Amino acid sequence: MARAIMAPASRLTSPAELCACGEQHHPGARYYVSVRESDGGKWRPVLGPFSTHAQARAHVDAVTSHVLDHYNPGGRAHWYSYGTVAMMPDYDTPGLLNGALLATTES
Ligand SMILES: [Zn+2]
């Protein structure tokens, strides 16, 4: 399972950075667009890593459209949650949709 940064900023050892989204993120975090199945089901970081949260956020609509067009059995993908996630700095697994949506990995 991928490791996401779940600890509040106050618990992290390094000072958090204030992001344009208004939240504080761990320095060095790796950002992905994430997709979560409905009802609290499993989630995956599907596009990334990006070095900034803003880059990941800029791709959420593209991921949403791609999943709805290509991975939508019985219309279920309309109920998925699409967003972003900050991963630990050492997590750099390419997102499952990188090949389809990124010309090169933007890391
Ligand atoms: Zn942010």
Side-chain angles (χ1 to χ4, degrees):
M1 182 54 155
R3 292 183 305 142
I5 297 174
M6 297 298 191
S10 60
R11 286 199 198 157
L12 298 173
T13 55
S14 302
E17 296 174 336
L18 183 61
C19 177
C21 76
E23 299 291 330
Q24 291 186 320
H25 305 307
H26 187 62
R30 312 277 274 175
Y31 300 92
Y32 287 78
V33 179
S34 59
V35 177
R36 188 177 69 177
E37 292 184 359
S38 52
D39 299 327
K42 64 185 176 186
W43 65 274
R44 291 180 187 276
V46 297
L47 192 73
F50 298 99
S51 57
T52 69
H53 189 201
Q55 289 173 307
R57 291 174 69 203
H59 288 85
V60 171
D61 287 347
V63 166
T64 303
S65 295
H66 187 81
V67 170
L68 290 176
D69 289 346
H70 297 91
Y71 304 98
N72 194 7
R76 288 193 342 225
H78 290 282
W79 301 100
Y80 293 172
S81 298
Y82 303 88
T84 57
V85 61
M87 302 296 286
M88 296 296 285
D90 62 352
Y91 184 89
D92 61 358
T93 303
L96 296 171
L97 299 181
N98 282 15
L101 296 177
L102 296 178
T104 58
T105 301
E106 299 172 31
S107 57

